[in-house]
Amino acid sequence: MNNPESARENSFLALTRSHGARFRRLARMYAQGGYAEDLLQEIWLQIWRSLETFKSRSTLETWAYRIALNTCLGHRRAVRPAADSIDELTNTIAAPDIDDDFSLLEDFAASLNAVDRAVLLLHLDDRNADDMADIVGISPNAIAIRLTRIRKQFETRYIEE
């Protein structure tokens, strides 16, 4: 007879091994002020708490990524400073040091809205359009359109001179 608690623990450990780095990157992209580790812990806590409700309507990885993304989005809403405009908000955040590729990517991702940032991160994690659509909650066609726009924004900002 299978022990449900053991199955839950095994699923959780499998997720931490297979997606630890992915969720760490996600937390780093959404955390402000160096709180990435705290946000990562909150992601793992939310996944652990929700594991017993997993219904296998999607893969465990897709389901967990959606929880991680929702946790990050909730975190952003909770810590967002009051600002009258997006320009005022971006002016209050220190300009990142873009000496390496990851910092450049962080800078670019920070300039995107929450959905586009999620699409970018999923794309960088080599997720297919159907998985991305399931996680973000938009159609695969909308994913393709957003990716095209994101690429053009990146090219305009960093490649075209």
Side-chain angles (χ1 to χ4, degrees), residues 94-108:
D97 177 19
I98 53 175
D99 287 339
D100 60 46
D101 291 340
F102 193 78
S103 292
L104 179 90
L105 183 59
E106 281 182 316
D107 177 52
F108 178 66

Side-chain angles (χ1 to χ4, degrees), residues 81-155:
D84 292 332
S85 70
I86 191 66
D87 293 331
E88 183 181 331
L89 178 60
T90 56
N91 288 337
T92 64
I93 300 170
D97 177 19
I98 53 175
D99 287 339
D100 60 46
D101 291 340
F102 193 78
S103 292
L104 179 90
L105 183 59
E106 281 182 316
D107 177 52
F108 178 66
S111 73
L112 300 174
N113 66 48
V115 174
D116 286 349
R117 184 177 307 133
V119 169
L120 173 64
L121 292 172
L122 289 165
H123 176 70
L124 292 172
D125 282 338
D126 291 326
R127 303 301 289 239
N128 66 44
D130 290 333
D131 282 349
M132 292 161 67
D134 188 34
I135 292 167
V136 177
I138 59 178
S139 73
N141 284 344
I143 294 289
I145 290 167
R146 285 180 183 268
L147 282 172
T148 298
R149 290 180 183 160
I150 291 167
R151 282 184 196 104
K152 286 181 181 178
Q153 281 180 289
F154 185 85
E155 289 171 1

Side-chain angles (χ1 to χ4, degrees), residues 10 13 15 29 36 39 43-45 51-52 54 57 59 81 96 102 108 111-112 121-122 128 131 135 143 150 159-160:
N10 289 339
L13 290 173
L15 282 170
M29 288 291 187
L39 182 54
I43 288 169
W44 289 124
L45 178 63
L51 259 174
E52 56 195 30
F54 177 62
R57 292 185 198 135
T59 66
F102 193 78
F108 178 66
S111 73
L112 300 174
L121 292 172
L122 289 165
N128 66 44
D131 282 349
I135 292 167
I143 294 289
I150 291 167
I159 298 172
E160 296 175 1

Side-chain angles (χ1 to χ4, degrees), residues 56-70:
S56 300
R57 292 185 198 135
S58 62
T59 66
L60 181 62
E61 293 79 13
T62 298
W63 174 85
Y65 202 106
R66 185 161 195 147
I67 288 174
L69 181 59
N70 286 338

Side-chain angles (χ1 to χ4, degrees), residues 8-72:
R8 180 180 178 205
E9 288 174 18
N10 289 339
S11 295
F12 184 77
L13 290 173
L15 282 170
T16 60
R17 282 190 296 272
S18 62
H19 294 294
R22 178 173 288 148
F23 291 160
R24 183 176 308 282
R25 282 191 306 270
L26 186 67
R28 186 172 174 191
M29 288 291 187
Y30 281 89
Q32 292 178 343
Y35 296 103
E37 285 300 316
D38 293 341
L39 182 54
L40 180 61
Q41 292 304 312
E42 183 64 25
I43 288 169
W44 289 124
L45 178 63
Q46 293 305 320
I47 290 172
W48 174 257
R49 287 179 176 165
S50 302
L51 259 174
E52 56 195 30
T53 66
F54 177 62
K55 304 266 191 277
S56 300
R57 292 185 198 135
S58 62
T59 66
L60 181 62
E61 293 79 13
T62 298
W63 174 85
Y65 202 106
R66 185 161 195 147
I67 288 174
L69 181 59
N70 286 338
T71 301
C72 289

